[in-house]
Amino acid sequence: MNTHDTRNPCTKLCRYDEADRCMGCLRTRAEVRHWKRLPDETKAAINTRIAARGGTVSKKDGKRAKKLDKKIRKLEAKLATLRARRSEMEGPGAKAAE
């Protein structure tokens, strides 16, 4: 009987950090890509590593994080637009006067 935990730890929060690890399930991009073809022992080892790091991000938290990321992107775009308008208002002579 197989007692290994071979469940897919995906939380549908597929975003990668600088180290190329998924921020939702903590697997590497290669582990995510090849999950179905990995041997059960490897899957169990990955799940053990994830559990040791504190587990995955919940789906609810993942959805909330995605919503916040979307809001942040919108605000950053708006901020860039406002900064461009301000620099247009100041003109090229404004910095020389300071």
Side-chain angles (χ1 to χ4, degrees), residues 46-63:
I46 292 168
N47 283 333
T48 301
R49 183 194 74 218
I50 291 168
R53 292 187 70 194
T56 60
V57 174
S58 72
K59 288 183 183 182
K60 183 179 178 182
D61 288 342
K63 286 181 180 180

Side-chain angles (χ1 to χ4, degrees), residues 12-69:
K12 309 289 187 223
L13 178 65
C14 303
R15 293 180 300 142
Y16 294 89
D17 61 14
E18 308 82 41
D20 223 20
R21 289 202 182 271
C22 178
M23 296 170 72
C25 67
L26 308 175
R27 294 180 292 170
T28 65
R29 193 178 296 267
E31 290 169 345
V32 170
R33 189 176 316 130
H34 302 294
W35 185 259
K36 289 182 180 180
R37 290 174 278 180
L38 293 174
D40 286 349
E41 294 78 22
T42 305
K43 291 177 182 179
I46 292 168
N47 283 333
T48 301
R49 183 194 74 218
I50 291 168
R53 292 187 70 194
T56 60
V57 174
S58 72
K59 288 183 183 182
K60 183 179 178 182
D61 288 342
K63 286 181 180 180
R64 179 72 179 138
K66 281 185 177 183
K67 284 181 181 180
L68 290 173
D69 285 344

